[in-house]
C-alpha cells in the first residue's frame, strides 16, 4: 500500500507544483479517498527585485515571452550549451536585491562559477557553470518561476 501511494504521491505533488507555477496560485489542495495533499508556496522576495532592473533589462524579452513558446523555439536557434534548472523554483539573477548580477551576456565564466540562484522551499541553490565559456543568453528574468529542466542560460565556447 505505501509503495504504491509513495510513487503516486510524488507524481501528484510534481503535477500540483507545476499547476502552482503555471497559474501563479500560492496554494492548491487535492483530496481523494484517504489521501489529502496540500501544496503551498510562499513568495518572499517578489516585490523588491521587481523595483530595480539593471540586469533584467537585458533578459526582459525572454521573461516577457511565454515559457512554452521559448522552450519550443529553443532547439532551432541556440547553438551553445544550455544550463538547465535542476528543480522547480524561482530564479534570481543576483545574490541580494540591489546587488550586481552574477553574470551578464558576453561575460566569461569559469567551471563552477555561480550563474544564478534558484530558490526552492526557502533554500537558495546556486546554479553553476558546467564548464568554462561565454554567456551567450540569459533566458530567465529575475524572480521568475522556473520548471525542472527549463533552460536558464546558454554558454558558448
Amino acid at each position: 500500500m505505501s509503495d504504491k501511494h509513495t510513487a503516486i504521491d510524488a507524481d501528484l505533488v510534481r503535477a500540483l507544483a507545476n499547476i502552482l507555477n503555471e497559474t501563479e496560485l500560492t496554494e492548491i489542495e487535492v483530496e481523494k479517498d484517504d489521501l489529502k495533499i496540500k501544496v503551498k508556496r510562499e513568495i518572499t522576495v517578489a516585490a523588491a527585485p521587481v523595483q530595480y532592473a539593471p540586469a533584467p533589462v537585458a533578459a526582459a524579452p525572454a521573461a516577457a515571452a511565454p515559457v512554452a513558446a521559448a522552450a519550443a523555439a529553443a532547439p532551432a536557434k541556440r547553438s551553445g550549451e544550455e544550463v538547465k534548472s535542476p528543480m522547480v523554483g524561482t530564479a534570481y539573477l543576483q545574490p541580494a536585491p540591489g546587488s550586481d548580477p552574477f553574470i551578464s551576456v558576453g561575460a566569461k565564466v569559469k567551471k563552477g562559477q555561480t550563474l544564478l540562484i534558484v530558490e526552492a522551499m526557502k533554500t537558495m541553490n546556486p546554479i553553476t557553470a558546467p564548464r568554462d565559456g561565454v554567456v551567450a543568453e540569459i533566458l530567465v528574468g529575475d524572480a521568475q518561476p522556473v520548471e525542472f529542466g527549463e533552460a536558464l542560460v546558454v554558454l558558448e565556447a
Side-chain angles (χ1 to χ4, degrees):
M1 178 175 148
S2 64
D3 291 338
K4 181 179 177 184
H5 277 71
T6 303
I8 293 171
D9 293 351
D11 293 338
L12 182 56
V13 170
R14 281 188 193 94
L16 294 174
N18 286 335
I19 291 169
L20 284 181
N21 284 330
E22 291 168 1
T23 62
E24 298 197 22
L25 293 171
T26 57
E27 181 177 325
I28 192 167
E29 184 175 334
V30 174
E31 191 170 343
K32 182 178 179 184
D33 299 326
D34 63 339
L35 177 66
K36 182 177 180 180
I37 298 176
K38 181 186 261 184
V39 180
K40 289 184 179 182
R41 70 173 171 158
E42 292 184 27
I43 302 173
T44 56
V45 201
V50 176
Q51 294 174 356
Y52 60 91
V57 170
V67 173
K77 68 178 182 177
R78 294 192 187 118
S79 60
E81 177 182 353
E82 293 179 343
V83 179
K84 297 182 179 187
S85 180
M87 65 196 69
V88 173
T90 303
Y92 293 102
L93 301 178
Q94 64 271 341
S99 63
D100 291 335
F102 289 107
I103 57 170
S104 59
V105 174
K108 292 182 180 181
V109 296
K110 297 284 186 188
K111 180 178 181 177
Q113 179 179 338
T114 300
L115 302 174
L116 51 92
I117 294 172
V118 173
E119 183 260 332
M121 298 178 63
K122 296 185 181 184
T123 301
M124 299 300 179
N125 302 283
I127 307 303
T128 59
R131 61 175 176 81
D132 292 356
V134 176
V135 178
E137 288 183 77
I138 301 172
L139 304 172
V140 294
D142 192 48
Q144 176 181 327
V146 294
E147 298 290 328
F148 171 81
E150 180 177 340
L152 305 171
V153 175
V154 177
L155 293 180
E156 292 182 340

